[in-house]
Amino acid sequence: GEGQTTGVIVEKEGYILTSTFNFLDKPPIITVILSTGERKIAQMLGRDETRRLCLLKIESDASLPAAQWVSRDALKVGQWTVALGFGFGEGEPALSAGIISATHRMGAKAVQTDANLSPANYGGPLIDIEGNLIGICAPLSPGNSNAAAGAEWYDSGIGFAVPLPPKEKVYQALREGKTLVAGFLGVQTKALADYQPGAQILKVIDKSGAAEAKLKEQDVIASVGGTMALDPTHLAA
């Protein structure tokens, strides 16, 4: 919680995306060191506990250089990526190269890469070879909701970066200071046979939202809010 970590300026007014990994204890003082060496005290705005990202804000008299996002639709499996991070405190960033393994992992929240990611990268950028921002590196785990879950995979070749451009609704919620957590539907589900999309209900929890909606065992959840549920992991995300 007191170690150095990395963040990415995503708006010229001083908005910085980083990982919640180094902010699990919500420190009262956060100091940002810019590339110029200038130090700024940052305010933490919102947190997304499902994407493991948080948004910081610093005040600056001048416009700051903001990262340029690459569209996720333009990403391709196999393309080269570079992960950067200052987590070890050196003057130059740690660098790790790899390829994109998948563009929609962790319930479509993250891009997967085989570039080695570790606490030195968490909060830092995953970029393409032209320097465009693909996502913010963060520890994620498909079957564990612990606040630090996913960190046990560091430098394993299984790493995740979360795309969250300012135009996204989730980003705007963070800008408004909201804390986002996973919702509780109240069902236990299993995957359908033959890799069909959807999630079949095994059990409905009493007095849950699912029970109030009159969902029943053996029902299949095909979509939520207009978004197709690909499988139980996607549904939970």
Side-chain angles (χ1 to χ4, degrees):
E2 297 180 358
Q4 297 194 47
T5 189
T6 311
V8 181
I9 299 172
V10 291
E11 290 190 79
K12 63 183 181 179
E13 295 82 6
Y15 291 90
I16 299 171
L17 272 175
T18 184
S19 170
T20 57
F21 182 76
N22 259 43
F23 301 99
L24 299 182
D25 294 330
K26 301 180 181 179
I29 299 176
I30 302 170
T31 303
V32 170
I33 304 174
L34 299 176
S35 60
T36 59
E38 188 178 6
R39 292 174 177 263
K40 298 282 188 179
I41 299 300
Q43 173 191 5
M44 181 177 289
L45 300 179
R47 298 169 65 102
D48 185 338
E49 304 295 2
T50 66
R51 290 173 173 81
R52 307 288 164 79
L53 298 184
C54 58
L55 186 65
L56 310 179
K57 176 67 167 68
I58 61 173
E59 299 299 329
S60 177
D61 295 331
S63 294
L64 297 172
Q68 299 299 311
W69 291 87
V70 59
S71 169
R72 195 195 286 207
D73 293 338
L75 299 178
K76 293 181 172 59
V77 172
Q79 79 176 71
W80 284 100
T81 63
V82 177
L84 302 171
F86 285 94
F88 293 135
E90 292 94 344
E92 295 295 328
L95 181 151
S96 176
I99 63 167
I100 290 179
S101 307
T103 59
H104 291 74
R105 282 284 193 262
M106 305 302 297
K109 287 186 176 72
V111 173
Q112 183 176 330
T113 179
D114 70 350
N116 285 342
L117 301 187
S118 72
N121 306 102
Y122 298 153
L126 183 72
I127 61 175
D128 64 17
I129 58 175
E130 296 179 343
N132 298 307
L133 181 58
I134 294 172
I136 307 299
C137 300
L140 297 173
S141 176
N144 190 338
S145 60
N146 182 279
E152 68 274 12
W153 291 352
Y154 77 86
D155 290 347
S156 68
I158 299 175
F160 301 99
V162 180
L164 195 61
K167 64 182 180 180
E168 298 286 340
K169 289 182 179 179
V170 169
Y171 179 92
Q172 292 301 318
L174 300 187
R175 217 173 185 269
E176 294 168 6
K178 296 179 180 179
T179 297
L180 307 180
V181 297
F184 178 71
L185 179 58
V187 294
Q188 295 178 7
T189 61
K190 70 173 184 178
L192 297 178
D194 300 325
Y195 304 102
Q196 297 179 65
Q200 187 172 34
I201 297 175
L202 295 176
K203 182 179 180 181
V204 178
I205 308 301
D206 291 340
K207 300 181 180 178
S208 66
E212 292 180 6
K214 302 187 184 306
L215 297 183
K216 297 180 175 60
E217 294 179 10
Q218 305 304 315
D219 283 350
V220 173
I221 300 175
S223 65
V224 177
T227 299
M228 180 184 293
L230 300 178
D231 52 40
T233 299
H234 188 209
L235 172 66

